Amino acid sequence: MNQTEIKRLRTQSILKELIPEALATLEDNILRGLCVTDVECKKGRYDAFVYLDKMAFDEAEQAYILEHLKRISRYLQNHCMAAEGWYRCPNFHFKFDDRLEYQNHMDSLFDKISKDLSKNAKS
């Protein structure tokens, strides 16, 4: 692992802590309660993809959240820069995390296969 990769991973880790802190300072209850599941910085650390837990948000609520996060993105960047003493912060791109849903779906499929195999082995 080279030095650039280590810096990128460190930035991801720091942002994963700082973004929820910044969200907690907001007045909007929905945004304040968001859960950041992951942060992924691209090479050069100019862009960071921030993955959010969908929780029980429907499509309209998700659209509202993404729109408002886009508006306050600069505030979040300023919070991160001030907290870490950085002179620049990656541009944030917010997405709802589908990976957990996908993982749960895959787990249920494997459970079903396992049960079917158990039935067939007993017969």
Side-chain angles (χ1 to χ4, degrees):
M1 192 178 296
N2 62 22
Q3 195 68 22
T4 307
E5 181 70 8
I6 292 169
K7 285 182 180 179
R8 189 176 67 80
L9 292 172
R10 187 177 305 136
T11 301
Q12 286 178 184
S13 176
I14 291 168
L15 289 175
K16 195 171 175 182
E17 290 178 28
L18 290 177
I19 293 170
E21 278 178 25
L23 289 171
T25 65
L26 301 174
E27 291 180 15
D28 187 322
N29 285 335
I30 294 177
L31 298 181
R32 194 174 16 193
L34 288 175
C35 179
V36 175
T37 59
D38 199 14
V39 176
E40 187 180 298
C41 291
K42 295 300 175 193
K43 286 187 180 176
R45 293 177 292 158
Y46 291 106
D47 293 295
F49 290 89
V50 181
Y51 294 94
L52 307 166
D53 185 3
K54 281 185 175 182
M55 295 188 253
F57 298 124
D58 62 28
E59 300 261 335
E61 289 169 325
Q62 289 177 28
Y64 167 87
I65 290 167
L66 293 176
E67 180 61 37
H68 281 72
L69 286 172
K70 196 182 293 183
R71 285 190 206 158
I72 63 157
S73 182
R74 192 73 202 148
Y75 168 79
L76 298 174
Q77 287 174 301
N78 288 337
H79 178 90
C80 295
M81 287 189 294
E84 285 298 307
W86 293 341
Y87 64 93
R88 87 176 162 82
C89 186
N91 294 315
F92 297 140
H93 305 280
F94 296 95
K95 295 180 174 186
F96 280 97
D97 197 348
D98 292 326
R99 294 177 293 187
L100 184 60
E101 240 173 57
Y102 178 76
Q103 182 64 44
N104 289 341
H105 176 68
M106 294 304 291
D107 287 345
S108 68
L109 286 176
F110 284 123
D111 286 344
K112 186 176 187 288
I113 291 169
S114 176
K115 286 176 188 171
D116 288 350
L117 289 174
S118 298
K119 278 184 199 174
N120 291 341
K122 291 177 184 176
S123 329

